Amino acid sequence: NHDKAEIVLKEVRVFFKPDREEEKNVKRLRRIVSEFLQHPGNDRFSIVVLENDDSGYKLDFPNKTTHFCDELKDGLHKINGVETVEIIHIS
């Protein structure tokens, strides 16, 4: 059906800077995922874990979605280690 408006998909990408305490980092990463899942919707999400040398790796969650909103953004920024929250529009 071509009458429906196109849905613009977004990816919410969080940049996370871990500290030296691995156990705390794991808890913070779980908190980030939990925060995403508390806001159901159609937006994808990912976490970029930053290393000390400015490299990093991306954690994708292809089977999970969220809804980007101010409440989600505020909740993410309250988690230690979260540096940036970006929105990427997916075509």
Side-chain angles (χ1 to χ4, degrees):
N1 189 347
H2 296 290
D3 297 334
K4 290 185 176 181
E6 265 190 62
I7 297 171
V8 178
L9 291 177
K10 296 181 292 243
E11 179 181 327
V12 185
R13 189 173 293 170
V14 168
F15 290 83
F16 176 75
K17 183 78 170 174
D19 63 20
R20 292 177 184 215
E21 296 182 57
E22 191 172 327
E23 196 173 306
K24 285 186 180 179
N25 292 329
V26 170
K27 286 180 182 176
R28 290 176 185 141
L29 287 168
R30 285 188 178 140
R31 252 186 89 196
I32 292 169
V33 173
S34 175
E35 190 68 39
F36 278 127
L37 297 178
Q38 287 177 40
H39 302 276
N42 296 317
D43 299 326
R44 297 178 185 169
F45 65 89
S46 63
I47 303 169
V48 177
V49 180
L50 302 169
E51 301 290 344
N52 288 331
D53 61 1
D54 289 334
S55 68
Y57 55 92
K58 183 178 169 193
L59 303 173
D60 280 311
F61 299 85
N63 299 320
K64 307 279 186 196
T65 56
T66 191
H67 172 70
F68 183 73
C69 58
D70 288 338
E71 189 179 326
L72 172 59
K73 186 176 177 182
D74 292 345
L76 291 168
H77 278 295
K78 289 178 184 171
I79 300 169
N80 285 342
V82 170
E83 299 217 331
T84 311
V85 178
E86 273 185 7
I87 303 300
I88 293 104
H89 292 277
I90 303 167
S91 51

